[in-house]
Amino acid sequence: MAENKNLNTSSSSGSDGYQMKTNLGVIAMLISATGMGLVPLFSRWATRTDMFDGTLGLNGSDSIGALMACGRMGMGFVFFLVLMVATHKVDTFKKLKLTPAIALGGLMIGMSLACYVTSTLMTTVANAVLFIYTGPVICTLLARIFRKEPMSALQWICLAVVFIGMLFGEGLLGFGVGGQAFGLDFNLAPSTPEFPQKLVGDAFGLLSGVFYGASMFFNGYRKDADTTARGVWNFLFAVLGAATITVIMNIVGMQPGMENWITQVNFTAFNWAGAILLWIVCGPLALGFLLVAGRNLNAADYSTIAYWEVPVAIVIGLAVFGEAITVNTFLGIVLVVAGGAVPSIKNMVQGRKQKQEDEISANLAAKIQEQEELENL
């Protein structure tokens, strides 16, 4: 889940004359997306009593996942703070007006990651990833409702495809559902032997997608803001967002009779190693390469490549934790990813086509001018 997707990279060269290095950008985005995709691995490593067996519980309270998100967002804040000082943008930060959109963009991404990490601990990796990547479509829907942005027929179709994908992923629609060869059944499985709180985990996964989409929606404002200066504010509020989810989980409680319990952290050295890797690999490392990618790729390109995070997470669930992927779950993931990625791919193709047309027009104009100069001799 790549934060700060509001980098200004709409042309082959920036206003400062910098020429994009596409190959570097692709490699950087793949590294960044891989780092983001490792969240389920490090979150379970950091919090579980037995990394490979969720039935043994967590070395902390149920809000420990959200607390881990606070640390990851805190590292992001420190990273951008150091970057701001290193690039001499302290004055730029001071001049940047803090608006509700900037604050809410950060708050929402923090809440999204807190819910996502919690979801990876309570349900399958496939389900957690499936739900969070409903975010781009939710963003489109929010823009349609609140900014009155028109939705094309393709976007409506993608919205329907994502919804159908969610039904497949949750086993409510598909092969063998309801005892039929292909059926529809809205009876959710509240728990499984491996995931006693599966329904709660799925709910947190869905919330992570809603908050992710809301973050993208709010980040659509103030595109004039400097990336580094905005990043400092974004991650400061992201820490507050993750902390908010942590506090709410402690006040409300995950089960009856567990209200107002205190957050517990009973980490072993092994757990702390996973936590540090989560905070660094999925924090400064992934964010650093994201900035490199944003500097060298158009927005549509890196938004599309960001979906590499999905197969990375799925492979981790399959190879590391032995979570079998059913045909219905696979179809659900394909539909959700397709529904979110197709508009970005379309924009990418149109952008490249426009770039080629602009280059042809520029070359043609140069040749005409050259011909006119020769005729005037």
Side-chain angles (χ1 to χ4, degrees), residues 187-203:
N187 291 319
L188 282 167
S191 65
T192 64
E194 185 178 359
F195 298 102
Q197 293 178 290
K198 178 181 178 297
L199 186 59
V200 176
D202 290 343

Side-chain angles (χ1 to χ4, degrees), residues 59-326:
N59 279 348
S61 65
D62 285 338
S63 64
I64 194 67
L67 195 61
M68 288 297 98
C70 290
R72 184 256 192 254
M73 290 305 186
M75 288 296 291
F77 173 70
V78 172
F79 170 76
F80 273 94
L81 203 60
V82 171
L83 185 65
M84 178 183 69
V85 175
T87 55
H88 309 290
K89 291 188 175 181
V90 175
D91 288 338
T92 303
F93 172 75
K94 291 179 179 179
K95 293 176 182 177
L96 176 63
K97 182 181 178 181
L98 176 62
T99 60
I102 293 177
L104 287 170
L107 194 71
M108 292 296 110
I109 199 64
M111 295 174 74
S112 174
L113 186 71
C115 290
Y116 176 54
V117 174
T118 301
S119 179
T120 63
L121 303 178
M122 296 183 175
T123 189
T124 63
V125 172
N127 277 15
V129 172
L130 181 150
F131 279 122
I132 196 170
Y133 268 95
T134 60
V137 177
I138 290 172
C139 173
T140 301
L141 197 57
L142 289 174
R144 175 70 182 91
I145 295 171
F146 295 103
R147 287 204 292 255
K148 307 301 180 183
E149 293 183 5
M151 286 182 64
S152 65
L154 176 62
Q155 289 173 318
W156 281 112
I157 292 172
C158 287
L159 182 63
V161 166
V162 169
F163 178 74
I164 294 172
M166 288 174 58
L167 295 180
F168 268 101
E170 278 300 291
L172 303 178
L173 173 68
F175 300 98
V177 174
Q180 305 176 44
F182 187 89
L184 177 67
D185 185 356
F186 282 101
N187 291 319
L188 282 167
S191 65
T192 64
E194 185 178 359
F195 298 102
Q197 293 178 290
K198 178 181 178 297
L199 186 59
V200 176
D202 290 343
F204 270 102
L206 184 58
L207 282 173
S208 73
V210 172
F211 290 136
Y212 184 29
S215 175
M216 296 173 71
F217 169 73
F218 287 118
N219 281 336
Y221 295 93
R222 292 299 309 277
K223 293 182 179 180
D224 61 303
D226 177 81
T227 300
T228 303
R230 180 170 187 161
V232 174
W233 280 120
N234 275 165
F235 278 94
L236 175 60
F237 280 95
V239 173
L240 296 176
T244 299
I245 296 296
T246 306
V247 171
I248 291 174
M249 291 179 69
N250 277 275
I251 294 175
V252 176
M254 298 302 300
Q255 297 177 15
M258 293 182 64
E259 297 84 358
N260 299 316
W261 36 262
I262 300 172
T263 301
Q264 299 175 3
V265 179
N266 305 314
F267 281 4
T268 63
F270 185 77
N271 291 138
W272 279 115
I276 292 170
L277 287 171
L278 172 67
W279 296 338
I280 294 177
V281 175
C282 306
L285 182 65
L287 292 172
F289 279 104
L290 179 64
L291 288 177
V292 175
R295 183 71 165 158
N296 290 280
L297 292 175
N298 291 317
D301 291 326
Y302 69 75
S303 294
T304 302
I305 299 173
Y307 278 91
W308 171 247
E309 176 184 342
V310 177
V312 170
I314 296 301
V315 168
I316 287 172
L318 182 65
V320 179
F321 299 106
E323 296 180 1
I325 300 177
T326 65

